[in-house]
Coordinates of all heavy atoms in Angstrom, one line a residue:
G631 N 6.4 165.8 -8.2 CA 4.9 165.8 -7.9 C 4.1 166.3 -9.0 O 3.1 165.8 -9.3
N632 N 4.7 167.4 -9.7 CA 4.0 168.0 -10.9 C 3.9 166.9 -12.0 O 2.9 166.9 -12.7 CB 4.7 169.2 -11.3 CG 4.5 170.4 -10.4 OD1 3.6 170.4 -9.6 ND2 5.4 171.3 -10.4
M633 N 5.0 166.2 -12.2 CA 5.0 165.2 -13.2 C 4.0 164.1 -13.0 O 3.3 163.7 -13.9 CB 6.4 164.6 -13.3 CG 6.6 163.6 -14.5 SD 8.2 162.9 -14.6 CE 9.2 164.3 -15.0
A634 N 3.9 163.7 -11.7 CA 3.0 162.6 -11.3 C 1.6 163.1 -11.6 O 0.7 162.4 -12.0 CB 3.2 162.2 -9.9
S635 N 1.3 164.4 -11.2 CA 0.0 165.0 -11.4 C -0.4 165.0 -12.9 O -1.5 164.7 -13.3 CB 0.0 166.4 -10.8 OG -1.3 167.0 -11.0
A636 N 0.6 165.4 -13.7 CA 0.3 165.5 -15.1 C 0.0 164.2 -15.7 O -0.9 164.0 -16.6 CB 1.6 166.2 -15.8
I637 N 0.8 163.2 -15.3 CA 0.5 161.8 -15.8 C -0.9 161.3 -15.4 O -1.6 160.7 -16.2 CB 1.6 160.8 -15.2 CG1 3.0 161.2 -15.8 CG2 1.2 159.4 -15.5 CD1 4.1 160.4 -15.2
A638 N -1.3 161.7 -14.1 CA -2.6 161.3 -13.7 C -3.7 161.9 -14.5 O -4.7 161.3 -14.8 CB -2.7 161.7 -12.2
V639 N -3.5 163.2 -14.8 CA -4.5 164.0 -15.6 C -4.6 163.4 -17.0 O -5.7 163.2 -17.5 CB -4.1 165.5 -15.7 CG1 -4.9 166.2 -16.8 CG2 -4.2 166.1 -14.4
R640 N -3.4 163.0 -17.6 CA -3.4 162.4 -18.9 C -4.1 161.1 -18.9 O -4.9 160.7 -19.8 CB -2.0 162.3 -19.5 CG -1.4 163.6 -19.9 CD -0.2 163.4 -20.8 NE 0.9 162.8 -20.1 CZ 1.8 163.4 -19.4 NH1 1.8 164.7 -19.4 NH2 2.8 162.8 -18.8
G641 N -3.9 160.3 -17.8 CA -4.6 159.0 -17.7 C -6.1 159.2 -17.6 O -6.8 158.4 -18.2
E642 N -6.5 160.1 -16.8 CA -7.9 160.4 -16.6 C -8.6 160.8 -17.9 O -9.7 160.4 -18.3 CB -8.2 161.5 -15.5 CG -9.6 161.8 -15.3 CD -9.8 162.9 -14.3 OE1 -8.8 163.5 -13.8 OE2 -11.0 163.2 -13.9
E643 N -7.9 161.7 -18.6 CA -8.4 162.2 -19.9 C -8.5 161.0 -20.9 O -9.5 160.9 -21.7 CB -7.5 163.3 -20.5 CG -8.0 163.8 -21.8 CD -7.2 165.0 -22.3 OE1 -7.3 166.1 -21.7 OE2 -6.4 164.9 -23.3
A644 N -7.5 160.2 -21.0 CA -7.5 159.0 -21.9 C -8.7 158.1 -21.6 O -9.4 157.6 -22.5 CB -6.2 158.2 -21.8
S645 N -9.0 158.0 -20.3 CA -10.2 157.2 -19.9 C -11.5 157.8 -20.4 O -12.4 157.1 -20.9 CB -10.2 157.0 -18.4 OG -11.3 156.3 -17.9
I646 N -11.6 159.1 -20.2 CA -12.8 159.8 -20.6 C -13.0 159.8 -22.1 O -14.1 159.5 -22.7 CB -12.7 161.3 -20.2 CG1 -12.9 161.4 -18.6 CG2 -13.8 162.1 -20.8 CD1 -12.5 162.7 -18.1
V647 N -11.9 160.0 -22.9 CA -11.9 159.9 -24.3 C -12.3 158.5 -24.8 O -13.2 158.4 -25.7 CB -10.5 160.3 -24.9 CG1 -10.5 159.9 -26.4 CG2 -10.2 161.7 -24.7
A648 N -11.8 157.5 -24.1 CA -12.2 156.1 -24.5 C -13.7 155.9 -24.3 O -14.4 155.3 -25.1 CB -11.4 155.1 -23.6
E649 N -14.2 156.5 -23.2 CA -15.7 156.3 -22.9 C -16.5 157.1 -23.9 O -17.6 156.7 -24.4 CB -16.0 156.8 -21.5 CG -15.5 155.9 -20.4 CD -15.9 156.4 -19.0 OE1 -16.9 157.0 -18.9 OE2 -15.1 156.1 -18.1
L650 N -16.0 158.3 -24.3 CA -16.7 159.1 -25.3 C -16.7 158.4 -26.6 O -17.8 158.3 -27.3 CB -16.0 160.5 -25.5 CG -16.1 161.5 -24.4 CD1 -15.2 162.6 -24.6 CD2 -17.6 162.0 -24.3
K651 N -15.6 157.8 -27.0 CA -15.6 157.0 -28.3 C -16.5 155.8 -28.2 O -17.0 155.4 -29.3 CB -14.1 156.6 -28.6 CG -13.2 157.7 -28.9 CD -11.8 157.2 -29.3 CE -10.9 158.4 -29.8 NZ -9.6 157.9 -30.2
A652 N -16.7 155.3 -27.0 CA -17.6 154.1 -26.9 C -19.1 154.5 -26.8 O -20.0 153.7 -26.8 CB -17.2 153.3 -25.6
G653 N -19.3 155.8 -26.8 CA -20.7 156.3 -26.8 C -21.3 156.4 -25.5 O -22.5 156.5 -25.3
S654 N -20.5 156.5 -24.4 CA -21.0 156.6 -23.1 C -21.8 157.9 -22.8 O -21.3 159.0 -23.0 CB -19.9 156.6 -22.1 OG -20.3 157.0 -20.8
E655 N -23.0 157.8 -22.5 CA -23.9 159.0 -22.2 C -23.3 159.8 -21.0 O -23.4 161.0 -21.0 CB -25.3 158.6 -21.9 CG -26.3 159.7 -21.7 CD -27.7 159.3 -21.6 OE1 -28.0 158.1 -21.9 OE2 -28.5 160.1 -21.2
E656 N -22.9 159.0 -20.0 CA -22.3 159.7 -18.8 C -21.1 160.5 -19.1 O -20.9 161.6 -18.6 CB -21.9 158.6 -17.8 CG -21.4 159.2 -16.4 CD -21.1 158.1 -15.4 OE1 -21.5 156.9 -15.7 OE2 -20.5 158.4 -14.4
A657 N -20.2 160.0 -20.0 CA -19.1 160.8 -20.5 C -19.4 162.0 -21.2 O -18.8 163.1 -21.0 CB -18.2 159.9 -21.3
Y658 N -20.5 161.9 -22.1 CA -20.9 163.1 -22.8 C -21.5 164.1 -21.9 O -21.3 165.3 -22.0 CB -22.0 162.7 -23.8 CG -21.4 162.1 -25.1 CD1 -21.7 160.8 -25.5 CD2 -20.5 162.8 -25.9 CE1 -21.2 160.2 -26.6 CE2 -19.9 162.3 -27.0 CZ -20.3 161.0 -27.4 OH -19.7 160.4 -28.5
N659 N -22.3 163.7 -20.8 CA -22.8 164.6 -19.9 C -21.7 165.3 -19.1 O -21.8 166.5 -18.8 CB -23.7 163.8 -18.9 CG -25.0 163.4 -19.5 OD1 -25.4 163.9 -20.6 ND2 -25.6 162.4 -18.9
W660 N -20.6 164.6 -18.8 CA -19.5 165.2 -18.1 C -18.8 166.2 -19.0 O -18.5 167.3 -18.5 CB -18.5 164.1 -17.7 CG -17.2 164.6 -17.1 CD1 -17.0 164.8 -15.7 CD2 -16.1 165.1 -17.8 NE1 -15.8 165.4 -15.6 CE2 -15.2 165.6 -16.8 CE3 -15.7 165.2 -19.1 CZ2 -13.9 166.1 -17.1 CZ3 -14.4 165.7 -19.4 CH2 -13.6 166.2 -18.4
L661 N -18.7 165.9 -20.2 CA -18.0 166.8 -21.2 C -18.8 168.1 -21.3 O -18.2 169.2 -21.2 CB -17.9 166.2 -22.6 CG -17.1 166.9 -23.6 CD1 -15.6 166.8 -23.3 CD2 -17.4 166.4 -25.0
I662 N -20.1 168.0 -21.4 CA -20.9 169.2 -21.5 C -20.9 170.0 -20.2 O -20.8 171.3 -20.2 CB -22.4 168.9 -21.9 CG1 -22.4 168.3 -23.3 CG2 -23.3 170.1 -21.8 CD1 -23.7 167.8 -23.8
A663 N -21.0 169.3 -19.1 CA -21.0 170.0 -17.8 C -19.7 170.7 -17.5 O -19.7 171.8 -17.0 CB -21.3 169.0 -16.7
H664 N -18.6 170.1 -18.0 CA -17.3 170.6 -17.7 C -16.9 171.7 -18.7 O -16.2 172.7 -18.3 CB -16.3 169.5 -17.8 CG -15.0 169.8 -17.1 ND1 -14.8 169.8 -15.8 CD2 -13.7 170.0 -17.7 CE1 -13.5 170.1 -15.5 NE2 -12.9 170.2 -16.6
Y665 N -17.3 171.7 -19.9 CA -16.8 172.6 -20.9 C -17.8 173.5 -21.6 O -17.4 174.4 -22.3 CB -16.1 171.8 -22.1 CG -14.8 171.2 -21.7 CD1 -14.6 169.8 -21.5 CD2 -13.7 172.1 -21.5 CE1 -13.3 169.3 -21.1 CE2 -12.4 171.6 -21.1 CZ -12.3 170.2 -20.9 OH -11.0 169.7 -20.6
H666 N -19.1 173.3 -21.3 CA -20.1 174.1 -22.0 C -19.9 175.6 -21.7 O -19.9 176.4 -22.6 CB -21.5 173.7 -21.6 CG -22.6 174.4 -22.4 ND1 -23.0 175.7 -22.1 CD2 -23.2 174.1 -23.5 CE1 -23.9 176.1 -22.9 NE2 -24.1 175.1 -23.8
Q667 N -19.7 176.0 -20.4 CA -19.6 177.4 -20.1 C -18.4 178.1 -20.7 O -18.4 179.1 -21.3 CB -19.7 177.6 -18.6 CG -19.7 179.1 -18.1 CD -20.9 179.8 -18.8 OE1 -22.0 179.4 -18.8 NE2 -20.6 181.0 -19.3
P668 N -17.2 177.5 -20.5 CA -16.0 178.1 -21.1 C -16.0 178.2 -22.6 O -15.6 179.1 -23.2 CB -14.8 177.2 -20.6 CG -15.4 176.0 -20.1 CD -16.8 176.3 -19.7
I669 N -16.6 177.1 -23.3 CA -16.7 177.2 -24.7 C -17.7 178.3 -25.1 O -17.4 179.1 -26.1 CB -17.2 175.8 -25.3 CG1 -16.1 174.8 -25.1 CG2 -17.6 175.9 -26.8 CD1 -14.8 175.0 -25.8
Y670 N -18.8 178.4 -24.4 CA -19.8 179.5 -24.7 C -19.2 180.8 -24.6 O -19.3 181.7 -25.4 CB -21.0 179.4 -23.9 CG -22.0 180.5 -24.0 CD1 -22.9 180.6 -25.1 CD2 -21.9 181.6 -23.2 CE1 -23.8 181.6 -25.2 CE2 -22.8 182.7 -23.3 CZ -23.7 182.7 -24.4 OH -24.5 183.8 -24.6
S671 N -18.4 181.0 -23.5 CA -17.7 182.3 -23.2 C -16.8 182.7 -24.3 O -16.8 183.8 -24.7 CB -17.0 182.2 -21.8 OG -16.2 183.3 -21.6
L672 N -16.0 181.7 -24.8 CA -15.1 181.9 -25.8 C -15.8 182.3 -27.1 O -15.4 183.3 -27.8 CB -14.2 180.7 -26.0 CG -13.2 180.7 -27.2 CD1 -12.2 181.8 -27.1 CD2 -12.6 179.3 -27.4
V673 N -16.8 181.5 -27.5 CA -17.5 181.8 -28.7 C -18.2 183.1 -28.7 O -18.2 183.9 -29.6 CB -18.6 180.6 -28.9 CG1 -19.6 181.0 -30.1 CG2 -17.9 179.3 -29.3
Y674 N -18.8 183.5 -27.5 CA -19.5 184.7 -27.4 C -18.6 185.9 -27.7 O -19.0 186.9 -28.3 CB -20.2 184.9 -26.0 CG -20.8 186.2 -25.8 CD1 -22.0 186.6 -26.4 CD2 -20.1 187.2 -25.0 CE1 -22.5 187.9 -26.2 CE2 -20.7 188.4 -24.8 CZ -21.9 188.8 -25.4 OH -22.4 190.0 -25.2
R675 N -17.4 185.8 -27.2 CA -16.5 186.9 -27.3 C -16.0 187.1 -28.8 O -15.4 188.1 -29.2 CB -15.3 186.7 -26.4 CG -15.6 187.0 -24.9 CD -14.4 187.1 -24.0 NE -14.7 187.6 -22.8 CZ -14.9 186.9 -21.6 NH1 -14.9 185.6 -21.7 NH2 -15.2 187.5 -20.5
I676 N -16.2 186.0 -29.6 CA -15.8 186.1 -31.0 C -17.0 186.6 -31.8 O -16.9 187.5 -32.7 CB -15.3 184.8 -31.5 CG1 -14.0 184.4 -30.8 CG2 -15.1 184.8 -33.0 CD1 -13.5 183.0 -31.1

């Protein structure tokens, strides 16, 4: 089950990366919504 989940995650990530490389605005919005807060938190602590 864990292996199947990991494969699914990798497949989803590959799809997002492909959209990002294609310049998809929706994919960029997802990236910022998903990672902005954790990235800011990490940077702030440095």
Side-chain angles (χ1 to χ4, degrees):
N632 290 339
M633 183 180 296
S635 176
I637 292 171
V639 168
R640 285 196 295 270
E642 181 182 5
E643 181 174 290
S645 175
I646 291 169
V647 169
E649 290 184 31
L650 288 169
K651 289 184 175 182
S654 166
E655 184 175 348
E656 185 178 347
Y658 281 120
N659 290 340
W660 177 90
L661 186 74
I662 293 173
H664 198 73
Y665 285 110
H666 187 277
Q667 187 55 47
I669 292 296
Y670 173 85
S671 175
L672 173 62
V673 169
Y674 173 73
R675 286 190 167 100
I676 296 174

